[in-house]
Amino acid sequence: MARVLVVEDDQFVRSALIRHLTEASHTVRSVGTALEALREVAHVGFDVVILDLGLPDLDGGEALKMLRGITDVPVIIATARDNEADIVRLLNDGADDYLTKPFSVEHLSARMAAVLRRSRTTSGAEPPSRVIRVGGLSIDPLRRQAELDGVALDLTRREFDLLAFLAGRPGVVVARRELLAEVWQQSYGDDQTIDVHLSWLRRKLGETAAKPRYLHTLRGVGVKLEPPQ
């Protein structure tokens, strides 16, 4: 099954998570601080990290940024915070998913399964070898590299997947449900997740929702990517 790192300082919550994940046949390691988590990730290969935000030595949001500096491992945030701005910031900083406390073990299992499925699909499938070109965009799925007007784009894993999927269907309006299914590998989810990644991708393409160049949103319909007119 999966190799899971639980980063949680509450001993009761931590023990419950370890017990549940172990019973589900996962291999589990656990730590109670952000610095311990960084050391673990740097030396041990994990399939997913469950990260609490209320850590004693460092805010989990800052820990997430530091994790993203050394690994692409999927991270599920476990948080008592339900503020929309906080959630958007965490997704922008590289979280793959989040759960608001308290949550059931069944809910955690479903979210973990979805994240692991997306991760394994991305890493296990052989991407197409052809380079996709749309206007000044050049996307190489095999090397997972993208350029705009000859300049390399610094994209996260999810941003690249989203851009490559849309670029492979230039001019076609893709429904949000299809994006969730094909890019996020899940049949349900919050439109906010898509909006956050589209917003971040737009900034890296040098455009905005109000003044789009490549990415165009059709309200109530979906999203399309096409070359500038």
Side-chain angles (χ1 to χ4, degrees):
M1 298 296 284
R3 294 162 297 176
V4 185
L5 176 64
V6 174
V7 187
E8 170 65 64
D9 69 320
D10 185 306
Q11 191 58 50
F12 177 78
V13 175
R14 187 170 162 184
S15 297
L17 288 174
I18 293 170
R19 183 174 63 255
H20 165 69
L21 293 170
T22 302
E23 288 174 352
S25 300
H26 298 299
T27 301
V28 186
R29 293 173 71 101
S30 68
V31 294
T33 69
L35 292 181
E36 288 176 312
L38 291 167
R39 282 196 293 267
E40 285 288 309
V41 168
H43 294 95
V44 181
F46 292 100
D47 297 307
V48 63
V49 174
I50 300 171
L51 176 64
D52 176 44
L53 292 184
L55 300 173
D57 59 336
L58 189 66
D59 179 78
E62 293 302 313
L64 173 64
K65 293 179 184 178
M66 296 174 72
L67 282 171
R68 278 291 164 258
I70 62 174
T71 181
D72 238 2
V73 63
V75 176
I76 299 176
I77 297 293
T79 175
R81 308 172 193 174
D82 58 1
N83 180 275
E84 181 177 340
D86 286 339
I87 292 170
V88 169
R89 176 176 56 80
L90 291 165
L91 291 170
N92 273 336
D93 288 341
D96 291 82
D97 206 344
Y98 65 90
L99 283 169
T100 303
K101 294 178 179 179
F103 51 81
S104 67
V105 292
E106 291 79 13
H107 195 174
L108 172 61
S109 293
R111 293 297 184 95
M112 271 188 57
V115 166
L116 290 169
R117 189 164 57 247
R118 296 196 300 264
S119 176
R120 287 164 180 168
T121 298
T122 299
S123 61
E126 184 68 19
S129 59
R130 69 181 182 90
V131 175
I132 303 169
R133 302 185 191 280
V134 181
L137 276 171
S138 176
I139 301 161
D140 188 335
L142 188 61
R143 294 180 175 83
R144 295 188 65 79
Q145 296 173 348
E147 294 182 351
L148 176 60
D149 299 327
V151 178
L153 294 171
D154 182 15
L155 303 177
T156 66
R157 182 182 70 246
R158 190 68 66 235
E159 289 167 353
F160 182 89
D161 292 342
L162 178 58
L163 180 65
F165 185 79
L166 291 171
R169 298 151 183 78
V172 176
V173 179
V174 181
R176 289 169 179 270
R177 182 173 296 181
E178 184 176 356
L179 288 176
L180 281 171
E182 298 297 334
V183 179
W184 275 264
Q185 295 293 307
Q186 61 186 57
S187 57
Y188 69 95
D190 194 334
D191 281 358
Q192 184 182 73
T193 298
I194 297 175
D195 291 337
V196 166
H197 285 85
L198 282 172
S199 176
W200 210 9
L201 187 54
R202 280 192 176 100
R203 287 201 297 270
K204 294 183 179 181
L205 294 177
E207 61 182 68
T208 65
K211 295 183 178 180
R213 295 182 65 235
Y214 285 92
L215 292 170
H216 300 263
T217 300
L218 282 73
R219 183 169 296 180
V221 181
V223 184
K224 68 175 178 179
L225 184 146
E226 61 184 10
Q229 299 298 319

